[in-house]
Amino acid sequence: MSSNIYEGSVPVSVLKDTDVYRHTIAVLVDNEAGVLARVVGLFSGRGYNIESLTVSVVDEDAQLSRINLVTSGTRQIVEQIKAQLGRLVPVHTIKDLTDEGPSVGRELALVKVDGTGEVRVEALRIGDIFRCNVVDSAPDSFVFEVVGTSEKIDAFIGLMKPLGLVEVSRTGVAAIARGAGGMVDDALPKPKATPKRKKATKKVAKKASPKRKSAAKKAPTSSKKKR
Amino acid sequence: MPRDTIDGRQMLGARIILKALEEQGVEVVFGYPGGAVLPIYDEIFKQNRIRHILVRHEQGAVHAAEGYARSTGKVGVVLVTSGPGATNAVTGLTDALMDSIPVVCLTGQVPTHLIGNDAFQEADTIGITRPCTKHNYLVKDPNDLAKTIHEAFYVARSGRPGPVVVDLPKDVVMEKGAYATAPRGIKRQQHKTYRPAHTPDPASINAVVDLMVNAERPLFYTGGGVINAGPGASKTLTDLVKDTGFPITSTLMGLGAYPASGPKWLGMVGMHGTYESNMAMHGCDVMINIGARFDDRVTGNLKYFSPGSKKIHVDIDQSSINKNVIVDIPVVGDAGVALKAIFKAWKARTTRPKAKAMKAWWADIERWKAKDCLSYTQTGSVIKPQYAIQRLFELTKKRDTFITTEVGQHQMWAAQFCRFDKPNHWLTSGGLGTMGYGLPAAIGAQIGNPKGLVVDVAGEASILMNIQELSTAVQYRLPVKVFIINNQYMGMVRQWQELLHGGRYAESYTDSLPDFVKLAEAYGMTGLRVQDPAKVDDTIKEMMAIDGPVIVDVCVDQKENCYPMIPSGAAHNHMLLGPEDEGEQKITGAGMALV
Ligand SMILES: Cc1ncc(C[n+]2csc(CCOP(=O)(O)OP(=O)(O)O)c2C)c(N)n1
């Protein structure tokens, strides 16, 4: 599996139609029974792959949940996936965080390493380099909490393997677009932009403008749901 | 307005259900009772606004609702019990999903406190039907009943239509709740999340017309989406074809949208489509797909599919676009609205395709037409199946005739030889290819069109899959005609075995078939049999003259194959036109794996 060259912001122009690429897609859904089964069933029924999937309520009042999913495929397949997600009745909004401008994605992992003596010290040293928290410590084991991109976590786990790695628990990716403005649900009244917010938009737009533009041009697929 | 339709009035869940159906304009429900839905049946008993048609198998109920929906343009409604009632409905729901037919299916369910307990006649209906419905609902509170049913109808009929299941636990149906009237007006009806596309982007319409006016070898390729968009869409299509002078072909599902008697009609496209249609698909330079989905039965081998064309795809479902075939101009929206917009933009242009190029294109088409790909010879004393179907069409075309089919060779022959001039008169299971579809669909169509002549063109194998529905036809005095093309083989299976498996006819011959004439009589209807080609006409006339359900057992040539045919894995320009072609092109390799 190829990893993204630019974290969360891919100049789509560099992609060929046949390139298999990893996309992080955020989906706002109604927080109702079975909605996750619909999404997962869609992926299994149509043979798309899911590399990671997280789901959680993000707005108690509006009863909205957000699903972050990481999948990979050619451009055609990823467009299919988004269109198929868009067909699901309880889906509000879909945003391809990989295609639509820069974004950040983070994962948390709990990594248990058993060992004593030399290896134990080495594990702790590496844990330090990765800015891990030690959330459990016993005479012959550590549980590290590591936060970062999936790649960083992969790397940390790889290094722990020879040092007594016994168990890994990962959350899957939570991702969000950089810059101002939120992924609002089309159906809900839009939050009014305060002057403060506007300023922020400008700032970010300036910083990220070259990347942003190219991505926006090549990927006209908006976050709006079209069916 | 009657008092009890006012919001907030408390009434029994079952009563709410009936009320909501009434408000949705439902006239008929196809169903089968059982423990979990008894309270609903009790309410049905107490009223007479909604008619209940008792089928003999729940699969039949869904197909009947489909037949009703397709022939009337209304939503078909089904009511079945929990467990086996719901599982029996699954084939019908899948069929409706594949062919985009609006159906609302109410399923009984065990009481909420027993869900998950493996209770008697419990099935995870929501889980089972999730992949075979457009959407499904489990109602857990009687106060949600009315709202959910209204929403189910909205979802079933809007956007790309499809089946919707509403699962109704028995306790919810037996408790009291508040009724809610259906939201009125576009604004209030708007769904919280489900907002199907309707009006296409004007820029895309312009791009379509740009291609059209510069085309040299244009072709309309239309599908079920035009039928689903209503009779107005078919009318606009017909006008557009007339104005442009472009040739037109259609999928199995789209037959009747453009009249088959029209001068630009090339016949059906695809595996058993006409030579001229498939050659035109292969050779066109601008393909205008309206409401079809590049199904594998149409495209054949994608590698060789219409290599030289710019492709336009109008579809209401964004996910249909670029799914199988990458297109140049995607247009997302309702086929009728898009057709109107295209027609308007076309008329506003002064540029037209070059007359010389169009003339050459039509000359090509005439050359292909001259192959007369549907020809057959009726000689000797055995009835050719094509002859029987062609005579059926000729003798019934003056009436308001609805043709349903089962699945197999007879279905393809019916598609080839029944030349539909109107939409909504051709009901066949396209996407799923469900044997057993035709008879219940005919029943539904007859209920929706009491004056129409409804004929199920059947195979002797398929008809046995839902033969029990004859009893339904008799009970409700539905004068449906079952026209069995009896070759004693699962003909389509036999044909493939002949082409692909060295003529080893494994299990495709049906021994011990019933005597269909006696069977008809046993059900209390008329049975006719014809074996002599000279008597085909008289038998069909006799069938039409009988004011009641009839089975006609047409004993036909057992070895006839359905041509033309694009063998699996081949390109459109490699059609088999008849048995004489078979030897030349062996189907091998990857083609064998395709179905
Ligand atoms: C429910 C179902 N089972 C199996 C098939 C596979 N199948 C397709 S056509 C066919 C044979 C149909 O035979 P018949 O009804 O006699 O029609 P014929 O082809 O002879 O005209 C079969 C078994 C199917 N389409 N549907």
Side-chain angles (χ1 to χ4, degrees):
Chain A
M1 176 86 311
S2 73
S3 70
N4 294 1
I5 317 164
Y6 308 91
E7 182 201 323
S9 80
V10 189
V12 186
S13 50
V14 308
L15 288 183
K16 288 197 290 292
D17 282 349
T18 46
D19 281 351
V20 172
Y21 219 78
R22 187 186 287 169
H23 286 245
T24 305
I25 298 170
V27 192
L28 274 187
V29 298
D30 262 345
N31 176 30
E32 64 176 38
V35 64
L36 187 59
R38 275 179 222 286
V39 171
V40 173
L42 190 156
F43 275 73
S44 65
R46 294 189 181 262
Y48 307 138
N49 70 62
I50 303 183
E51 288 178 18
S52 142
L53 183 143
T54 66
V55 57
S56 186
V57 178
V58 289
D59 187 336
E60 285 282 356
D61 299 335
Q63 277 299 300
L64 284 180
S65 289
R66 180 183 178 117
I67 297 175
N68 292 299
L69 49 89
V70 181
T71 182
S72 58
T74 59
R75 165 143 305 279
Q76 186 190 1
I77 292 196
V78 173
E79 289 304 320
Q80 248 313 288
I81 290 174
K82 287 188 270 177
Q84 292 291 351
L85 285 168
R87 266 165 36 120
L88 299 178
V89 170
V91 168
H92 287 247
T93 319
I94 298 154
K95 192 172 173 79
D96 186 332
L97 294 168
T98 305
D99 263 7
E100 299 172 33
S103 63
V104 282
R106 290 291 179 268
E107 224 186 310
L108 182 147
L110 298 174
V111 180
K112 187 184 281 185
V113 181
D114 286 4
T116 50
E118 279 286 294
V119 284
R120 183 169 157 84
V121 175
E122 177 67 359
L124 195 60
R125 207 177 61 80
I126 294 174
D128 226 31
I129 296 172
F130 278 77
R131 294 193 196 140
C132 295
N133 286 329
V134 176
V135 291
D136 179 63
S137 174
D140 51 356
S141 74
F142 283 126
V143 175
F144 293 107
E145 174 202 273
V146 52
V147 177
T149 61
S150 302
E151 287 78 7
K152 175 179 165 184
I153 291 170
D154 288 345
F156 180 70
I157 291 169
L159 289 171
M160 288 302 114
K161 261 188 197 148
L163 303 177
L165 176 87
V166 287
E167 194 176 343
V168 177
S169 173
R170 299 173 70 150
T171 57
V173 176
I176 203 159
R178 289 177 186 271
M183 183 178 170
V184 262
D185 163 28
D186 299 336
L188 297 175
K190 302 237 159 31
K192 277 197 198 115
T194 59
K196 234 191 208 164
R197 207 176 264 248
K198 259 186 205 152
K199 229 195 238 156
T201 317
K202 251 189 212 157
K203 233 201 232 152
V204 172
K206 227 189 250 163
K207 243 196 253 160
S209 69
K211 267 182 200 168
R212 257 223 156 145
K213 251 188 201 156
S214 69
K217 219 186 264 164
K218 284 283 176 177
T221 28
S222 71
S223 59
K224 257 209 140 172
K225 222 166 118 193
K226 281 185 212 143
R227 288 185 207 106
Chain B
M1 196 179 285
R3 272 192 58 83
D4 60 350
T5 63
I6 290 162
D7 278 52
R9 164 133 183 190
Q10 294 284 312
M11 60 180 104
L12 213 62
R15 179 75 203 119
I16 295 177
I17 293 165
L18 266 278
K19 204 81 231 148
L21 294 182
E22 259 174 44
E23 210 190 331
Q24 287 295 332
V26 175
E27 289 158 356
V28 56
V29 171
F30 301 91
Y32 206 93
V37 285
L38 281 184
I40 305 177
Y41 272 87
D42 204 35
E43 283 301 323
I44 287 178
F45 187 81
K46 290 182 198 156
Q47 57 89 51
N48 51 19
R49 284 211 222 153
I50 294 175
R51 188 175 176 204
H52 181 272
I53 302 295
L54 177 67
V55 294
R56 301 303 189 260
H57 185 294
E58 290 87 351
Q59 183 191 351
V62 187
H63 291 325
E66 285 185 273
Y68 175 86
R70 290 172 77 157
S71 62
T72 63
K74 299 176 192 162
V75 178
V77 184
V78 177
L79 172 59
V80 299
T81 192
S82 66
T87 56
N88 270 351
V90 164
T91 302
L93 293 170
T94 312
D95 191 90
L97 183 73
M98 291 289 265
D99 285 346
S100 312
I101 311 300
V103 168
V104 169
C105 177
L106 309 178
T107 53
Q109 184 53 278
V110 300
T112 40
H113 67 272
L114 285 179
I115 289 180
N117 271 353
D118 299 326
F120 178 62
Q121 294 197 328
E122 179 183 0
D124 176 10
T125 303
I126 292 298
I128 291 169
T129 63
R130 201 177 282 125
C132 67
T133 53
K134 185 171 168 186
H135 195 50
N136 59 17
Y137 301 87
L138 172 66
V139 185
K140 286 187 167 168
D141 179 342
N143 293 305
D144 292 340
L145 275 170
K147 181 183 148 279
T148 308
I149 290 172
H150 296 318
E151 188 175 314
F153 275 84
Y154 174 78
V155 171
R157 68 170 175 256
S158 22
R160 178 177 178 173
V164 177
V165 160
V166 184
D167 203 21
L168 303 164
K170 193 170 181 181
D171 53 336
V172 172
V173 167
M174 293 178 74
E175 279 163 22
K176 279 192 164 181
Y179 185 78
T181 47
R184 271 173 236 288
I186 306 274
K187 256 260 150 66
R188 284 194 60 201
Q189 253 189 15
Q190 214 175 43
H191 190 270
K192 187 163 54 152
T193 49
Y194 182 59
R195 306 272 176 87
H198 180 72
T199 312
D201 175 5
S204 65
I205 299 292
N206 260 327
V208 168
V209 181
D210 282 345
L211 280 185
M212 284 171 67
V213 295
N214 291 309
E216 299 194 341
R217 299 183 309 280
L219 176 69
F220 282 108
Y221 148 49
T222 61
V226 181
I227 311 265
N228 271 340
S234 297
K235 169 84 174 47
T236 315
L237 174 69
T238 309
D239 294 345
L240 181 64
V241 170
K242 192 171 168 203
D243 213 80
T244 55
F246 295 176
I248 173 167
T249 181
S250 149
T251 65
L252 181 74
M253 298 303 295
L255 296 177
Y258 178 83
S261 58
K264 308 299 176 196
W265 178 240
L266 304 189
M268 181 173 74
V269 69
M271 184 175 270
H272 291 288
T274 63
Y275 183 67
E276 50 271 34
S277 277
N278 286 317
M279 290 302 279
M281 283 288 263
H282 192 77
C284 64
D285 74 337
V286 172
M287 180 187 290
I288 310 153
N289 170 351
I290 301 177
R293 57 183 176 94
F294 293 108
D295 176 74
D296 56 72
R297 286 296 105 143
V298 162
T299 61
N301 192 329
L302 284 172
K303 239 195 320 199
Y304 312 117
F305 177 65
S306 193
S309 62
K310 291 266 184 208
K311 296 173 187 75
I312 294 161
H313 188 182
V314 179
D315 205 299
I316 198 158
D317 179 359
Q318 166 113 44
S319 77
S320 285
I321 291 174
N322 292 338
K323 183 170 68 178
N324 304 333
V325 171
I326 301 284
V327 297
D328 300 276
I329 316 278
V331 180
V332 184
D334 175 80
V337 180
L339 274 164
K340 268 205 181 126
I342 292 171
F343 196 18
K344 199 171 152 206
W346 163 266
K347 280 199 289 200
R349 297 289 179 97
T350 46
T351 340
R352 288 290 178 257
K354 291 192 197 71
K356 210 173 142 203
M358 285 289 280
K359 212 173 146 198
W361 178 227
W362 273 105
D364 284 343
I365 291 171
E366 289 310 326
R367 210 157 33 77
W368 295 326
K369 271 191 177 171
K371 284 251 185 186
D372 196 8
C373 68
L374 297 181
S375 67
Y376 63 88
T377 21
Q378 173 60 63
T379 49
S381 57
V382 184
I383 302 173
K384 287 283 179 192
Q386 298 97 316
Y387 176 73
I389 293 174
Q390 193 168 30
R391 291 315 299 159
L392 174 74
F393 168 68
E394 291 297 335
L395 294 169
T396 58
K397 70 179 175 190
K398 290 228 170 62
R399 297 267 304 266
D400 188 24
T401 305
F402 295 80
I403 302 281
T404 74
T405 75
E406 308 291 336
V407 172
Q409 292 178 318
H410 64 275
Q411 176 190 30
M412 291 299 121
W413 281 316
Q416 292 172 342
F417 290 96
C418 297
R419 300 173 61 85
F420 298 94
D421 278 349
K422 281 180 286 189
N424 304 101
H425 285 66
W426 163 244
L427 321 177
T428 193
S429 170
L432 195 63
T434 314
M435 292 169 71
Y437 171 85
L439 175 56
I443 287 173
Q446 189 80 75
I447 295 275
N449 303 272
K451 296 227 166 69
L453 172 64
V454 184
V455 185
D456 172 25
V457 175
E460 78 295 332
S462 295
I463 193 66
L464 289 179
M465 287 221 176
N466 271 322
I467 193 77
Q468 75 287 346
E469 299 306 328
L470 289 175
S471 173
T472 311
V474 172
Q475 177 181 345
Y476 296 96
R477 300 174 197 279
L478 302 172
V480 295
K481 319 298 182 202
V482 182
F483 196 74
I484 302 176
I485 304 297
N486 188 345
N487 54 11
Q488 297 193 29
Y489 276 96
M490 297 170 198
M492 194 55 96
V493 173
R494 187 195 50 69
Q495 177 166 345
W496 281 52
Q497 287 171 333
E498 186 178 306
L499 293 175
L500 295 160
H501 298 279
R504 293 178 295 278
Y505 298 140
E507 306 297 322
S508 55
Y509 179 79
T510 317
D511 208 322
S512 313
L513 279 168
D515 177 332
F516 286 106
V517 173
K518 281 194 187 144
L519 187 72
E521 284 160 4
Y523 274 105
M525 53 195 280
T526 312
L528 304 173
R529 177 170 294 121
V530 55
Q531 286 162 306
D532 176 358
K535 296 206 173 115
V536 168
D537 275 24
D538 284 346
T539 310
I540 293 171
K541 284 179 196 158
E542 190 182 348
M543 167 192 94
M544 289 167 67
I546 294 167
D547 181 23
V550 182
I551 286 183
V552 185
D553 185 19
V554 188
C555 306
V556 300
D557 188 346
Q558 296 193 358
K559 290 287 159 73
E560 190 66 19
N561 282 345
C562 184
Y563 290 107
M565 176 177 185
I566 303 176
S568 340
H572 277 166
N573 57 345
H574 289 271
M575 288 199 95
L576 307 180
L577 287 177
E580 54 289 345
D581 279 355
E582 276 177 33
E584 296 169 24
Q585 296 168 317
K586 278 263 154 42
I587 304 159
T588 47
M592 284 272 290
L594 300 173
V595 286

